[in-house]
Amino acid sequence: MYLVDVRLESPAHLSPADVRVLLSEAARPGDGVEHIYVQPAPPSAGGLPRDTAPPLDVVLFLSHLTLTESERAADTVLRRCTTGGLRFRRLSTMPLTLLVELLALEG
């Protein structure tokens, strides 16, 4: 399983729940999307331009065996959601096992 981190930048003021539904509806069985987590992005140092919705950070949990397959599937799901001015930007991808190991080191 891989985690794909994505940032949503959009003029639309969408809640994390709205984005989760949007991505869930865009995902197809072959995309391997197991779970979607959405939260507000940390505030940027410069602030936001007027009339701009705060960005949201999204994590897609994908059940593919390779990094390449996971990134390709995530990009496909995100492309299905780019109507209406939504702009997704993939930030990073990592195996779930690596995340677990990193968290164990912190604790």
Side-chain angles (χ1 to χ4, degrees), residues 4-76:
V4 179
D5 294 320
V6 178
R7 171 85 32 100
L8 168 63
E9 297 162 340
S10 167
H13 290 269
L14 299 171
S15 72
D18 293 335
V19 173
R20 204 169 15 262
V21 168
L22 178 72
L23 289 166
S24 294
E25 290 176 350
R28 307 288 184 265
D31 295 327
V33 176
E34 295 288 328
H35 181 68
I36 300 168
Y37 177 76
V38 184
Q39 70 178 16
S44 62
L48 293 171
R50 187 177 305 216
D51 297 328
T52 302
L56 296 173
D57 284 340
V58 177
V59 180
L60 298 173
F61 293 73
L62 297 159
S63 63
H64 291 285
L65 297 177
T66 68
L67 174 71
T68 302
E69 290 172 326
S70 295
E71 289 178 334
R72 189 175 297 134
D75 290 344
T76 299

